[in-house]
Amino acid sequence: MVLAKSASHDVIASERQLADLIRQIQAADRVALDTEADSLHSYREKLCLLQISTPPAVILSNVEGSRGTASNVALPGSSTSLGMTVQSVCDFIVDPLSDLDLEPLRQALEPREIVLHAADYDLRMLRRGLNFTASRIFDTVIAVRLLGIREFSLGALVKRFFGVELHKHSQKANWALRPLPPRMLKYAVDDVHYLLPLAAKLEEDLERVHRRDWFQQSCERAIELAATERERIQDELWRIAGAGALDPHTGAVLRALWQWRETEAELADRPPFHILQNHELLKAADIFISGHVPDYKHFSARRRQTFREAAKIALQSPQSEWPVMRRRSGSRPTEEMRRRADQLRERRDKAAAQLGLEPSFIASRGALEAIAADSARATALLVPWQRKLIGMEE
């Protein structure tokens, strides 16, 4: 069964268009969302696009009068593998960068079940850009992994269930550009267009294998995790991969260069890696310590000067100001902890083989080792169905 490809879409950027969309959402219990941000093109990423699909029943009764922002997509046949009669989906694109009050949209979305693919990033972007916190989600990645499907990218799932190849040509595009070209709008719509029919199919399959409760537990945990601010200790951010192997003086230079890079990235409103990549920062710190001066052709005269000045100050800093270089923290596991971890791993692998699931989806190696060291961590690291499968029943 092939789902017809979606048409090009106008971007909702007026109050009247937004009001039409809100009426569509308010008549639905479940809508699909996807987001696009500019993380590869700006210093502080922002929500640049919000794609929304509303369900078929809503479209049939409400779509008239929507000005070019919706398209019907038929699922042919009187009865499909999705277990539905002839249906259609309707897609919208909202521009968060336009001068629109999106508070009514947030209020309309909040009580509804939101279908997402790999929910964590989108939920964090929606909270940051729309002050939106989901009350219920349907994460299609969680669903397919509970069904034992190993290829769970959106492209792989759309091809598997609908026979359509998605083109990922705009994956790294700058979504803050305005106006967006039609090919980018098409890419954006494709990312949300298939989610509602996909969720309907996956929901059927989860019921069939009696894993709907497991699915709900995992989705609720995903909401909790996305609502938690990731703690970032400002003075530790410069400790990039490879920093732990440096001596304290080189570490001081690396720290100075990292701070210089942050300043430059903010001034240019570009991601830090556009200024200098992490491996180049490490290499530059070593070169400065060796008494030489690294150079980069893409640096302007001003940037080259500030780069060298930052390193010079760090090179001349007293030892008392050098950072303490820490190797990987944590005590070595005891024999009992290793035995316990092996026991948990055996239970996990046996359950995974019986259920056709990826072992790491039941519990990662890190989670098992943490639980082996402290069984009280099981509740924080695993949801009830996962704990039961490794023998950590409450």
Side-chain angles (χ1 to χ4, degrees):
M1 191 241 345
V2 176
L3 203 67
K5 295 181 179 178
S6 56
S8 294
H9 283 60
D10 294 334
V11 177
I12 291 178
S14 75
E15 297 291 350
R16 188 180 67 80
Q17 289 175 317
L18 184 62
D20 289 343
L21 169 59
I22 289 171
R23 282 193 290 272
Q24 297 267 41
I25 293 169
Q26 288 172 334
D29 182 61
R30 168 187 284 178
V31 297
L33 292 185
D34 187 58
T35 64
E36 305 296 346
D38 60 350
S39 58
L40 297 178
H41 299 272
S42 66
Y43 180 68
R44 290 186 176 89
E45 69 177 343
K46 56 186 173 293
L47 179 65
C48 295
L49 221 60
L50 178 59
Q51 306 96 282
I52 302 175
S53 277
T54 55
V58 180
I59 298 160
L60 296 177
S61 58
N62 291 283
V63 75
E64 290 184 16
S66 180
R67 200 192 103 210
T69 58
S71 66
N72 295 336
V73 184
L75 298 177
S78 58
S79 181
T80 71
S81 61
L82 296 179
M84 296 188 293
T85 55
V86 176
Q87 303 284 354
S88 55
V89 294
C90 194
D91 308 313
F92 300 85
I93 297 177
V94 177
D95 182 5
L97 303 184
S98 64
D99 187 23
L100 282 176
D101 178 12
L102 297 182
E103 175 60 16
L105 177 62
R106 184 196 67 78
Q107 291 177 1
L109 289 171
E110 213 153 54
R112 281 156 183 86
E113 183 180 48
I114 308 299
V115 180
L116 301 146
H117 182 78
D120 185 76
Y121 179 79
D122 290 315
L123 289 176
R124 291 180 187 276
M125 285 307 305
L126 289 165
R127 183 161 60 92
R128 189 181 310 164
L130 203 63
N131 194 28
F132 169 78
T133 301
S135 56
R136 295 176 292 148
I137 67 167
F138 188 111
D139 188 333
T140 53
V141 169
I142 293 175
V144 296
R145 295 190 76 181
L146 275 171
L147 294 169
I149 297 173
R150 305 300 173 95
E151 293 185 53
F152 46 81
S153 70
L154 182 61
L157 295 176
V158 169
K159 185 174 182 180
R160 178 188 183 109
F161 290 104
F162 308 121
V164 173
E165 289 271 5
L166 293 183
H167 299 289
K168 307 305 283 183
H169 50 73
S170 297
Q171 196 165 20
K172 297 181 179 180
N174 185 357
W175 291 99
L177 292 174
R178 294 296 183 272
L180 288 169
R183 68 196 293 265
M184 288 177 65
L185 294 177
K186 173 65 166 59
Y187 170 95
V189 169
D190 280 346
D191 272 357
V192 74
H193 177 67
Y194 300 91
L195 293 183
L196 287 174
L198 177 60
K201 168 61 179 169
L202 298 176
E203 193 168 39
E204 264 185 20
D205 291 345
L206 288 169
E207 293 286 0
R208 177 175 48 79
V209 296
H210 307 293
R211 293 178 191 169
R212 177 71 183 179
D213 185 51
W214 292 5
F215 174 71
Q216 289 174 337
Q217 292 174 23
S218 294
C219 284
E220 287 167 6
R221 178 58 59 87
I223 293 173
E224 292 171 10
L225 293 175
T228 304
E229 286 288 351
R230 290 171 176 164
E231 189 175 342
R232 304 180 78 202
I233 303 172
Q234 197 63 35
D235 193 45
E236 297 293 305
L237 298 180
W238 64 271
R239 296 180 188 271
I240 58 180
L246 303 179
D247 63 83
H249 197 188
T250 310
V253 176
L254 174 65
R255 180 177 61 187
L257 295 181
W258 186 92
Q259 291 168 345
W260 163 85
R261 185 180 69 171
E262 288 295 300
T263 300
E264 289 293 312
E266 187 170 12
L267 283 171
D269 192 22
R270 290 290 183 270
F273 72 84
H274 278 206
I275 309 300
L276 207 62
Q277 295 188 20
N278 282 353
H279 72 276
E280 292 290 355
L281 277 186
L282 287 166
K283 188 188 299 183
D286 278 329
I287 293 172
F288 276 121
I289 285 290
S290 71
H292 298 87
V293 178
D295 195 21
Y296 302 92
K297 292 180 180 179
H298 66 282
F299 280 7
S300 66
R302 183 202 60 78
R303 183 169 290 173
R304 184 175 289 109
Q305 180 183 351
T306 57
F307 174 66
R308 292 175 179 178
E309 286 174 353
K312 182 179 179 180
I313 292 170
L315 286 167
Q316 296 175 349
S317 64
Q319 188 172 347
S320 61
E321 295 180 3
W322 297 353
V324 176
M325 305 306 292
R326 296 187 294 274
R327 298 300 187 264
R328 188 174 180 178
S329 60
S331 57
R332 295 176 66 86
T334 64
E335 188 61 37
E336 174 59 24
M337 288 161 56
R338 282 193 289 267
R339 184 195 67 77
R340 180 64 174 155
D342 287 343
Q343 186 180 59
L344 292 171
R345 192 175 301 110
E346 287 174 11
R347 293 176 190 165
R348 179 201 67 178
D349 292 350
K350 181 180 179 181
Q354 291 173 341
L355 297 168
L357 300 177
E358 296 170 87
S360 62
F361 186 59
I362 297 175
S364 67
R365 175 181 173 181
L368 293 180
E369 290 176 350
I371 293 167
D374 179 6
S375 61
R377 297 197 62 192
T379 302
L381 294 171
L382 304 176
V383 294
W385 72 265
Q386 294 169 318
R387 298 199 297 270
K388 183 175 181 179
L389 291 182
I390 65 167
M392 298 291 296
E393 295 174 285
E394 295 175 313

